[in-house]
Amino acid sequence: MRFEYAPAPESRDVVDIKPSYGLFINGDFVDGSGTAFKTINPASEEMLAEVAAADEADVDRAVTAARKAFESWAALPGRERAKYLFRIARIIQERARELAVLESLDNGKPIRESRDVDLPLVAAHFFYYAGWADKLGHAGFGADPRPLGVAGQVIPWNFPLLMLAWKIAPALACGNTVVLKPAETTPLTALAFAEICVQAGLPPGVVNILTGAGATGAALVNHPGVDKVAFTGSTEVGRLIARSVAGTGKKVTLELGGKAANIVFDDAALDQAVEGIVNGIFFNQGHVCCAGSRLLVQESIAEELLDALKRRLGTLRLGDPLDKNTDIGAINSAEQLARIRSLTESGELEGAERWTASCPLPDKGFWFPPTLFTGVAQSHRIAREEIFGPVLSVLTFRTPAEAVEKANNTPYGLSAGVWTEKGSRILWMADKLRAGVVWANTFNRFDPASPFGGYKESGHGREGGRHGLEAYLDV
Amino acid sequence: MSETGRLAVRKTYKLFVGGAFPRSESGRSYVVSSSKGDFLANAARASRKDARDAVVAARKAFPGWSGATPYNRGQILYRVAEMMEGRRAQFVAEVVDADGVSARKAGELVDAAVDRLVWYAGWSDKIGAIQGAANPVAGPYFNLSTAEPTGVVAVVAPPFGPLLGLVSVVAPVIVTGNTCVVVASERAPLPSITLAEVLATSDLPGGVVNILTGHTGELAPWLAGHMDVNGIDLTGCDPDLARTCEQEAAENLKRVLRPAKTDWLADPGLDRMTTFLETKTVWHPVGI
């Protein structure tokens, strides 16, 4: 049975996008010295705004501003820093609808997700770390742990404002000042956040936002005035950063790629598992580093599960990200769409069997329908490389030991999922899986109180929880 | 010849890999002299192949050692301390030879090394309580973070403090369940091999600690770039070598402990353990 849905678009009127944006340095919006670039709506390819690009001189100005602000920000009593962060959290809640729409416009993600997942988590993250600012002496890092100084932070385009929150909230709570570079394709919510800093009365220079591409990020990471580098993005760039900070004494945390196994045993609650698989790989168009991109299903139920999964995928609605009924939004950029296409083509060439949900794709914008591959071998590129799109590779196993062996057969180690009704098996699996987050009978859950981060080539350091403080303290 | 006219039976100093004492596959050795310049021994000069063999041994030992109960690991580390105490006179003599300190000072250093092992032994079943957490998430979920060992860790031991320094860098790596490949002090490697004899008789499974003697500058970069090594402690590297090794380590994003000025007699803190621990967070829904 197919249900027809009338369009239910969220209003764009709540956002006021300016024709052009500058850099946010020392509390002011200033012109950038690099060549300005355009940010577009990936669902329509319409231009949203022109954004300044920061060059090395701009980076230097921002780092200098952050350095100057550091002295007094670090000297501020923790309870005062806390209050600034609480203010920011409140303003985010007040402007949540506007920010959600802006995020969906710039990123392409469904409004249902930006409204119900991204924004609530953004506010929660600031609330959580606000509360730590005057309790650092109780966090287990000594009586009076000190901040590091200036944090240079580079974030990706998949959760633009949420990744900003993950970076800025703990950094400020611990007494650091920051220079943050949002992703080239999704700068708008970070620039809105700069306005929020102004509204909150945050002292100038405590937060600086530099827009630009990879060169801006490299200049920031390599600036000698930066004491701490925090990066979320690809393992490839993470490697370059780890190499470039060698011997400098800069503290580094890296949240990188993943190729998570989502493991379904024959006794799992099937309908719940199907929902979990869908949430695991089709949430945010699969633009999720911890996405459950490898489905490992026990052989005896593979057929039944795949039938149910395909049936469910047939009901997903792809289209206008601002439509409240939309499940699958737009791919963030033409470049990412090309990468997804190239990897799915390799899946076919290497002999895996492709199945794609039949759904009409809009004429304009960047789209990729929910797709799964069966008959995938562990050596296939689609089983080893991060696709970062709505593409699921399905493998089978017979025994728990085989499931563990296959799940761990990857250089990544960010997350994993386990579906079974047997408690002791969950704990055994959780123990054996080499991954920083294990979701049992659930998937893609996030909370500011819960540490997140990877094993192996998925990076080092944790974000969230008490553990997340360590990245921003001189300990 | 000694005063009694009896010729001493000298020891051949070899490597310690997978619980055995092989010579270097390269057949190479190098002269180790005392701080006064007297000949002490020809130590094995490990090669790249020896380093790779040691990583294989450490990887093989990892599932068993990381899967042992913390109580068991603590008991074994305490056993190592017991065995060291029994060889106190031998270690004192070696430290005197290596560092040219007085016998009394050497005694203090050996005692501190034994005490350090006892200290770390006690951490085996406590570090998890300090590093883990039950996280109060905003939803109906059980959410627990636990500390797990990183895997195979390469350890570049400090050039000075050939026993206390060595014990202080190895114990924190293995007490949490990691296995390791140690590059011993190049100038004073002999106490490390005597320590290996202690380890070999302390119920420590073969391969948990592997010790290579040789040229630090030759061995450390191979280990830093090895794709099956998960972490590296650069304590014994000079700044140039540390930079090179950290660059190599980026290839598979190893956890890196950078060299820092260290007072080996001071309270070590938790850093040496926590650098080579991963935090795993498990979620499960709560419901009926």
Side-chain angles (χ1 to χ4, degrees), chain A residues 219-252:
Chain A
L220 176 56
V221 165
N222 293 322
H223 194 289
V226 165
D227 304 291
K228 153 81 192 179
V229 172
F231 171 76
T232 296
S234 70
T235 290
E236 186 189 352
V237 175
R239 249 191 270 281
L240 293 176
I241 291 175
R243 187 169 269 273
S244 72
V245 300
T248 63
K250 289 176 189 172
K251 192 165 178 171
V252 193

PDB file of all heavy atoms in Angstrom, chain A residues 219-252:
ATOM      1  N   ALA A 219      46.052  26.382   6.994  1.00  0.00           N
ATOM      2  CA  ALA A 219      46.735  27.531   7.585  1.00  0.00           C
ATOM      3  C   ALA A 219      46.429  27.634   9.075  1.00  0.00           C
ATOM      4  O   ALA A 219      47.300  27.973   9.882  1.00  0.00           O
ATOM      5  CB  ALA A 219      46.307  28.817   6.862  1.00  0.00           C
ATOM      6  N   LEU A 220      45.207  27.314   9.435  1.00  0.00           N
ATOM      7  CA  LEU A 220      44.814  27.375  10.851  1.00  0.00           C
ATOM      8  C   LEU A 220      45.543  26.292  11.653  1.00  0.00           C
ATOM      9  O   LEU A 220      46.143  26.569  12.697  1.00  0.00           O
ATOM     10  CB  LEU A 220      43.293  27.212  10.957  1.00  0.00           C
ATOM     11  CG  LEU A 220      42.692  27.146  12.360  1.00  0.00           C
ATOM     12  CD1 LEU A 220      43.075  28.374  13.179  1.00  0.00           C
ATOM     13  CD2 LEU A 220      41.166  27.011  12.294  1.00  0.00           C
ATOM     14  N   VAL A 221      45.484  25.064  11.153  1.00  0.00           N
ATOM     15  CA  VAL A 221      46.107  23.942  11.862  1.00  0.00           C
ATOM     16  C   VAL A 221      47.612  24.176  12.038  1.00  0.00           C
ATOM     17  O   VAL A 221      48.192  23.851  13.072  1.00  0.00           O
ATOM     18  CB  VAL A 221      45.849  22.629  11.077  1.00  0.00           C
ATOM     19  CG1 VAL A 221      46.739  21.511  11.542  1.00  0.00           C
ATOM     20  CG2 VAL A 221      44.376  22.237  11.188  1.00  0.00           C
ATOM     21  N   ASN A 222      48.236  24.758  11.017  1.00  0.00           N
ATOM     22  CA  ASN A 222      49.693  24.919  11.045  1.00  0.00           C
ATOM     23  C   ASN A 222      50.147  26.237  11.673  1.00  0.00           C
ATOM     24  O   ASN A 222      51.348  26.485  11.782  1.00  0.00           O
ATOM     25  CB  ASN A 222      50.264  24.807   9.627  1.00  0.00           C
ATOM     26  CG  ASN A 222      50.087  23.403   9.074  1.00  0.00           C
ATOM     27  OD1 ASN A 222      50.226  22.418   9.812  1.00  0.00           O
ATOM     28  ND2 ASN A 222      49.760  23.290   7.793  1.00  0.00           N
ATOM     29  N   HIS A 223      49.213  27.076  12.077  1.00  0.00           N
ATOM     30  CA  HIS A 223      49.615  28.353  12.680  1.00  0.00           C
ATOM     31  C   HIS A 223      50.352  28.099  14.004  1.00  0.00           C
ATOM     32  O   HIS A 223      49.846  27.379  14.861  1.00  0.00           O
ATOM     33  CB  HIS A 223      48.389  29.226  12.918  1.00  0.00           C
ATOM     34  CG  HIS A 223      48.738  30.652  13.224  1.00  0.00           C
ATOM     35  ND1 HIS A 223      49.308  31.027  14.419  1.00  0.00           N
ATOM     36  CD2 HIS A 223      48.628  31.779  12.491  1.00  0.00           C
ATOM     37  CE1 HIS A 223      49.533  32.346  14.404  1.00  0.00           C
ATOM     38  NE2 HIS A 223      49.119  32.819  13.231  1.00  0.00           N
ATOM     39  N   PRO A 224      51.534  28.711  14.171  1.00  0.00           N
ATOM     40  CA  PRO A 224      52.305  28.433  15.395  1.00  0.00           C
ATOM     41  C   PRO A 224      51.628  28.934  16.679  1.00  0.00           C
ATOM     42  O   PRO A 224      51.950  28.458  17.766  1.00  0.00           O
ATOM     43  CB  PRO A 224      53.630  29.160  15.158  1.00  0.00           C
ATOM     44  CG  PRO A 224      53.383  30.114  14.044  1.00  0.00           C
ATOM     45  CD  PRO A 224      52.272  29.553  13.219  1.00  0.00           C
ATOM     46  N   GLY A 225      50.661  29.846  16.541  1.00  0.00           N
ATOM     47  CA  GLY A 225      49.982  30.368  17.724  1.00  0.00           C
ATOM     48  C   GLY A 225      48.839  29.499  18.212  1.00  0.00           C
ATOM     49  O   GLY A 225      48.183  29.815  19.199  1.00  0.00           O
ATOM     50  N   VAL A 226      48.587  28.390  17.516  1.00  0.00           N
ATOM     51  CA  VAL A 226      47.519  27.478  17.921  1.00  0.00           C
ATOM     52  C   VAL A 226      48.101  26.420  18.860  1.00  0.00           C
ATOM     53  O   VAL A 226      49.129  25.816  18.574  1.00  0.00           O
ATOM     54  CB  VAL A 226      46.884  26.826  16.669  1.00  0.00           C
ATOM     55  CG1 VAL A 226      46.045  25.624  17.035  1.00  0.00           C
ATOM     56  CG2 VAL A 226      46.045  27.854  15.914  1.00  0.00           C
ATOM     57  N   ASP A 227      47.453  26.224  20.014  1.00  0.00           N
ATOM     58  CA  ASP A 227      47.962  25.260  21.001  1.00  0.00           C
ATOM     59  C   ASP A 227      47.268  23.914  20.900  1.00  0.00           C
ATOM     60  O   ASP A 227      47.748  22.917  21.423  1.00  0.00           O
ATOM     61  CB  ASP A 227      47.713  25.800  22.417  1.00  0.00           C
ATOM     62  CG  ASP A 227      48.336  27.171  22.600  1.00  0.00           C
ATOM     63  OD1 ASP A 227      49.570  27.236  22.616  1.00  0.00           O
ATOM     64  OD2 ASP A 227      47.585  28.167  22.699  1.00  0.00           O
ATOM     65  N   LYS A 228      46.104  23.921  20.269  1.00  0.00           N
ATOM     66  CA  LYS A 228      45.291  22.709  20.253  1.00  0.00           C
ATOM     67  C   LYS A 228      44.604  22.611  18.904  1.00  0.00           C
ATOM     68  O   LYS A 228      44.056  23.612  18.414  1.00  0.00           O
ATOM     69  CB  LYS A 228      44.256  22.827  21.391  1.00  0.00           C
ATOM     70  CG  LYS A 228      42.991  22.063  21.175  1.00  0.00           C
ATOM     71  CD  LYS A 228      43.162  20.625  21.530  1.00  0.00           C
ATOM     72  CE  LYS A 228      41.982  19.796  21.030  1.00  0.00           C
ATOM     73  NZ  LYS A 228      42.143  18.382  21.340  1.00  0.00           N
ATOM     74  N   VAL A 229      44.664  21.450  18.311  1.00  0.00           N
ATOM     75  CA  VAL A 229      44.001  21.241  17.028  1.00  0.00           C
ATOM     76  C   VAL A 229      42.899  20.204  17.223  1.00  0.00           C
ATOM     77  O   VAL A 229      43.142  19.132  17.785  1.00  0.00           O
ATOM     78  CB  VAL A 229      45.002  20.743  15.961  1.00  0.00           C
ATOM     79  CG1 VAL A 229      44.270  20.348  14.685  1.00  0.00           C
ATOM     80  CG2 VAL A 229      46.046  21.801  15.673  1.00  0.00           C
ATOM     81  N   ALA A 230      41.691  20.547  16.810  1.00  0.00           N
ATOM     82  CA  ALA A 230      40.588  19.590  16.856  1.00  0.00           C
ATOM     83  C   ALA A 230      40.006  19.506  15.449  1.00  0.00           C
ATOM     84  O   ALA A 230      39.701  20.525  14.833  1.00  0.00           O
ATOM     85  CB  ALA A 230      39.518  20.047  17.840  1.00  0.00           C
ATOM     86  N   PHE A 231      39.885  18.292  14.958  1.00  0.00           N
ATOM     87  CA  PHE A 231      39.420  18.104  13.591  1.00  0.00           C
ATOM     88  C   PHE A 231      38.388  16.995  13.541  1.00  0.00           C
ATOM     89  O   PHE A 231      38.573  15.944  14.157  1.00  0.00           O
ATOM     90  CB  PHE A 231      40.605  17.768  12.684  1.00  0.00           C
ATOM     91  CG  PHE A 231      40.219  17.348  11.283  1.00  0.00           C
ATOM     92  CD1 PHE A 231      39.801  18.284  10.346  1.00  0.00           C
ATOM     93  CD2 PHE A 231      40.263  16.010  10.901  1.00  0.00           C
ATOM     94  CE1 PHE A 231      39.427  17.892   9.059  1.00  0.00           C
ATOM     95  CE2 PHE A 231      39.891  15.608   9.612  1.00  0.00           C
ATOM     96  CZ  PHE A 231      39.483  16.564   8.692  1.00  0.00           C
ATOM     97  N   THR A 232      37.318  17.212  12.821  1.00  0.00           N
ATOM     98  CA  THR A 232      36.402  16.135  12.476  1.00  0.00           C
ATOM     99  C   THR A 232      36.296  16.124  10.960  1.00  0.00           C
ATOM    100  O   THR A 232      36.071  17.168  10.341  1.00  0.00           O
ATOM    101  CB  THR A 232      35.012  16.348  13.094  1.00  0.00           C
ATOM    102  OG1 THR A 232      35.133  16.295  14.514  1.00  0.00           O
ATOM    103  CG2 THR A 232      34.045  15.265  12.656  1.00  0.00           C
ATOM    104  N   GLY A 233      36.501  14.955  10.383  1.00  0.00           N
ATOM    105  CA  GLY A 233      36.447  14.851   8.930  1.00  0.00           C
ATOM    106  C   GLY A 233      37.011  13.521   8.471  1.00  0.00           C
ATOM    107  O   GLY A 233      36.957  12.534   9.203  1.00  0.00           O
ATOM    108  N   SER A 234      37.582  13.520   7.282  1.00  0.00           N
ATOM    109  CA  SER A 234      38.026  12.261   6.699  1.00  0.00           C
ATOM    110  C   SER A 234      39.325  11.777   7.329  1.00  0.00           C
ATOM    111  O   SER A 234      40.132  12.572   7.829  1.00  0.00           O
ATOM    112  CB  SER A 234      38.241  12.434   5.195  1.00  0.00           C
ATOM    113  OG  SER A 234      39.372  13.245   4.964  1.00  0.00           O
ATOM    114  N   THR A 235      39.531  10.462   7.299  1.00  0.00           N
ATOM    115  CA  THR A 235      40.764   9.880   7.818  1.00  0.00           C
ATOM    116  C   THR A 235      41.956  10.373   7.008  1.00  0.00           C
ATOM    117  O   THR A 235      43.036  10.609   7.546  1.00  0.00           O
ATOM    118  CB  THR A 235      40.662   8.345   7.796  1.00  0.00           C
ATOM    119  OG1 THR A 235      39.705   7.951   8.796  1.00  0.00           O
ATOM    120  CG2 THR A 235      41.985   7.677   8.108  1.00  0.00           C
ATOM    121  N   GLU A 236      41.736  10.570   5.722  1.00  0.00           N
ATOM    122  CA  GLU A 236      42.805  11.044   4.837  1.00  0.00           C
ATOM    123  C   GLU A 236      43.356  12.396   5.311  1.00  0.00           C
ATOM    124  O   GLU A 236      44.571  12.582   5.462  1.00  0.00           O
ATOM    125  CB  GLU A 236      42.193  11.174   3.438  1.00  0.00           C
ATOM    126  CG  GLU A 236      43.124  11.508   2.332  1.00  0.00           C
ATOM    127  CD  GLU A 236      42.324  11.809   1.055  1.00  0.00           C
ATOM    128  OE1 GLU A 236      41.097  11.598   1.031  1.00  0.00           O
ATOM    129  OE2 GLU A 236      42.954  12.281   0.099  1.00  0.00           O
ATOM    130  N   VAL A 237      42.452  13.341   5.598  1.00  0.00           N
ATOM    131  CA  VAL A 237      42.896  14.656   6.079  1.00  0.00           C
ATOM    132  C   VAL A 237      43.421  14.537   7.514  1.00  0.00           C
ATOM    133  O   VAL A 237      44.399  15.198   7.882  1.00  0.00           O
ATOM    134  CB  VAL A 237      41.760  15.695   5.977  1.00  0.00           C
ATOM    135  CG1 VAL A 237      42.178  17.026   6.582  1.00  0.00           C
ATOM    136  CG2 VAL A 237      41.348  15.886   4.528  1.00  0.00           C
ATOM    137  N   GLY A 238      42.799  13.680   8.306  1.00  0.00           N
ATOM    138  CA  GLY A 238      43.261  13.466   9.678  1.00  0.00           C
ATOM    139  C   GLY A 238      44.710  13.033   9.723  1.00  0.00           C
ATOM    140  O   GLY A 238      45.501  13.479  10.560  1.00  0.00           O
ATOM    141  N   ARG A 239      45.076  12.154   8.790  1.00  0.00           N
ATOM    142  CA  ARG A 239      46.465  11.695   8.686  1.00  0.00           C
ATOM    143  C   ARG A 239      47.411  12.865   8.401  1.00  0.00           C
ATOM    144  O   ARG A 239      48.470  12.988   9.018  1.00  0.00           O
ATOM    145  CB  ARG A 239      46.574  10.723   7.518  1.00  0.00           C
ATOM    146  CG  ARG A 239      46.826   9.297   7.910  1.00  0.00           C
ATOM    147  CD  ARG A 239      47.184   8.492   6.666  1.00  0.00           C
ATOM    148  NE  ARG A 239      46.006   7.914   6.027  1.00  0.00           N
ATOM    149  CZ  ARG A 239      45.383   6.818   6.461  1.00  0.00           C
ATOM    150  NH1 ARG A 239      45.813   6.209   7.541  1.00  0.00           N
ATOM    151  NH2 ARG A 239      44.342   6.343   5.831  1.00  0.00           N
ATOM    152  N   LEU A 240      46.997  13.722   7.462  1.00  0.00           N
ATOM    153  CA  LEU A 240      47.830  14.888   7.117  1.00  0.00           C
ATOM    154  C   LEU A 240      48.019  15.785   8.331  1.00  0.00           C
ATOM    155  O   LEU A 240      49.116  16.288   8.587  1.00  0.00           O
ATOM    156  CB  LEU A 240      47.175  15.695   5.985  1.00  0.00           C
ATOM    157  CG  LEU A 240      47.101  15.035   4.623  1.00  0.00           C
ATOM    158  CD1 LEU A 240      46.328  15.932   3.653  1.00  0.00           C
ATOM    159  CD2 LEU A 240      48.501  14.766   4.086  1.00  0.00           C
ATOM    160  N   ILE A 241      46.944  15.966   9.080  1.00  0.00           N
ATOM    161  CA  ILE A 241      47.025  16.835  10.262  1.00  0.00           C
ATOM    162  C   ILE A 241      47.938  16.204  11.310  1.00  0.00           C
ATOM    163  O   ILE A 241      48.811  16.869  11.882  1.00  0.00           O
ATOM    164  CB  ILE A 241      45.612  17.109  10.824  1.00  0.00           C
ATOM    165  CG1 ILE A 241      44.843  18.000   9.853  1.00  0.00           C
ATOM    166  CG2 ILE A 241      45.693  17.756  12.203  1.00  0.00           C
ATOM    167  CD1 ILE A 241      43.398  18.240  10.219  1.00  0.00           C
ATOM    168  N   ALA A 242      47.757  14.906  11.560  1.00  0.00           N
ATOM    169  CA  ALA A 242      48.605  14.224  12.553  1.00  0.00           C
ATOM    170  C   ALA A 242      50.074  14.364  12.170  1.00  0.00           C
ATOM    171  O   ALA A 242      50.950  14.548  13.020  1.00  0.00           O
ATOM    172  CB  ALA A 242      48.212  12.754  12.651  1.00  0.00           C
ATOM    173  N   ARG A 243      50.351  14.279  10.873  1.00  0.00           N
ATOM    174  CA  ARG A 243      51.721  14.388  10.390  1.00  0.00           C
ATOM    175  C   ARG A 243      52.233  15.828  10.565  1.00  0.00           C
ATOM    176  O   ARG A 243      53.359  16.045  10.985  1.00  0.00           O
ATOM    177  CB  ARG A 243      51.746  13.986   8.911  1.00  0.00           C
ATOM    178  CG  ARG A 243      53.092  13.872   8.282  1.00  0.00           C
ATOM    179  CD  ARG A 243      52.991  13.214   6.904  1.00  0.00           C
ATOM    180  NE  ARG A 243      53.145  11.779   6.990  1.00  0.00           N
ATOM    181  CZ  ARG A 243      54.323  11.156   6.967  1.00  0.00           C
ATOM    182  NH1 ARG A 243      55.443  11.842   6.884  1.00  0.00           N
ATOM    183  NH2 ARG A 243      54.398   9.849   7.051  1.00  0.00           N
ATOM    184  N   SER A 244      51.369  16.802  10.258  1.00  0.00           N
ATOM    185  CA  SER A 244      51.843  18.189  10.272  1.00  0.00           C
ATOM    186  C   SER A 244      52.058  18.719  11.689  1.00  0.00           C
ATOM    187  O   SER A 244      52.856  19.617  11.890  1.00  0.00           O
ATOM    188  CB  SER A 244      50.884  19.097   9.495  1.00  0.00           C
ATOM    189  OG  SER A 244      49.696  19.278  10.224  1.00  0.00           O
ATOM    190  N   VAL A 245      51.353  18.170  12.679  1.00  0.00           N
ATOM    191  CA  VAL A 245      51.576  18.677  14.036  1.00  0.00           C
ATOM    192  C   VAL A 245      52.707  17.935  14.752  1.00  0.00           C
ATOM    193  O   VAL A 245      53.077  18.306  15.867  1.00  0.00           O
ATOM    194  CB  VAL A 245      50.298  18.614  14.921  1.00  0.00           C
ATOM    195  CG1 VAL A 245      49.189  19.438  14.320  1.00  0.00           C
ATOM    196  CG2 VAL A 245      49.867  17.192  15.158  1.00  0.00           C
ATOM    197  N   ALA A 246      53.261  16.895  14.107  1.00  0.00           N
ATOM    198  CA  ALA A 246      54.344  16.126  14.741  1.00  0.00           C
ATOM    199  C   ALA A 246      55.485  17.060  15.122  1.00  0.00           C
ATOM    200  O   ALA A 246      55.924  17.879  14.325  1.00  0.00           O
ATOM    201  CB  ALA A 246      54.843  15.047  13.784  1.00  0.00           C
ATOM    202  N   GLY A 247      55.922  16.925  16.353  1.00  0.00           N
ATOM    203  CA  GLY A 247      57.069  17.702  16.810  1.00  0.00           C
ATOM    204  C   GLY A 247      56.749  19.134  17.219  1.00  0.00           C
ATOM    205  O   GLY A 247      57.633  19.870  17.636  1.00  0.00           O
ATOM    206  N   THR A 248      55.471  19.538  17.114  1.00  0.00           N
ATOM    207  CA  THR A 248      55.137  20.924  17.464  1.00  0.00           C
ATOM    208  C   THR A 248      54.667  21.060  18.904  1.00  0.00           C
ATOM    209  O   THR A 248      54.601  22.161  19.429  1.00  0.00           O
ATOM    210  CB  THR A 248      53.985  21.464  16.582  1.00  0.00           C
ATOM    211  OG1 THR A 248      52.813  20.674  16.845  1.00  0.00           O
ATOM    212  CG2 THR A 248      54.336  21.399  15.111  1.00  0.00           C
ATOM    213  N   GLY A 249      54.296  19.962  19.533  1.00  0.00           N
ATOM    214  CA  GLY A 249      53.771  20.047  20.892  1.00  0.00           C
ATOM    215  C   GLY A 249      52.296  20.394  20.952  1.00  0.00           C
ATOM    216  O   GLY A 249      51.705  20.443  22.027  1.00  0.00           O
ATOM    217  N   LYS A 250      51.661  20.635  19.800  1.00  0.00           N
ATOM    218  CA  LYS A 250      50.218  20.925  19.806  1.00  0.00           C
ATOM    219  C   LYS A 250      49.449  19.669  20.204  1.00  0.00           C
ATOM    220  O   LYS A 250      49.748  18.576  19.734  1.00  0.00           O
ATOM    221  CB  LYS A 250      49.745  21.345  18.402  1.00  0.00           C
ATOM    222  CG  LYS A 250      50.230  22.712  17.975  1.00  0.00           C
ATOM    223  CD  LYS A 250      49.802  23.007  16.533  1.00  0.00           C
ATOM    224  CE  LYS A 250      50.486  24.278  16.047  1.00  0.00           C
ATOM    225  NZ  LYS A 250      50.270  24.524  14.618  1.00  0.00           N
ATOM    226  N   LYS A 251      48.442  19.865  21.042  1.00  0.00           N
ATOM    227  CA  LYS A 251      47.595  18.731  21.404  1.00  0.00           C
ATOM    228  C   LYS A 251      46.576  18.517  20.277  1.00  0.00           C
ATOM    229  O   LYS A 251      46.072  19.487  19.714  1.00  0.00           O
ATOM    230  CB  LYS A 251      46.888  19.043  22.725  1.00  0.00           C
ATOM    231  CG  LYS A 251      46.208  17.854  23.366  1.00  0.00           C
ATOM    232  CD  LYS A 251      45.866  18.150  24.828  1.00  0.00           C
ATOM    233  CE  LYS A 251      45.137  16.980  25.471  1.00  0.00           C
ATOM    234  NZ  LYS A 251      44.990  17.157  26.919  1.00  0.00           N
ATOM    235  N   VAL A 252      46.292  17.278  19.972  1.00  0.00           N
ATOM    236  CA  VAL A 252      45.417  16.986  18.829  1.00  0.00           C
ATOM    237  C   VAL A 252      44.318  16.003  19.212  1.00  0.00           C
ATOM    238  O   VAL A 252      44.580  15.016  19.893  1.00  0.00           O
ATOM    239  CB  VAL A 252      46.199  16.305  17.677  1.00  0.00           C
ATOM    240  CG1 VAL A 252      45.361  16.301  16.412  1.00  0.00           C
ATOM    241  CG2 VAL A 252      47.510  16.965  17.443  1.00  0.00           C
TER     242      VAL A 252
END
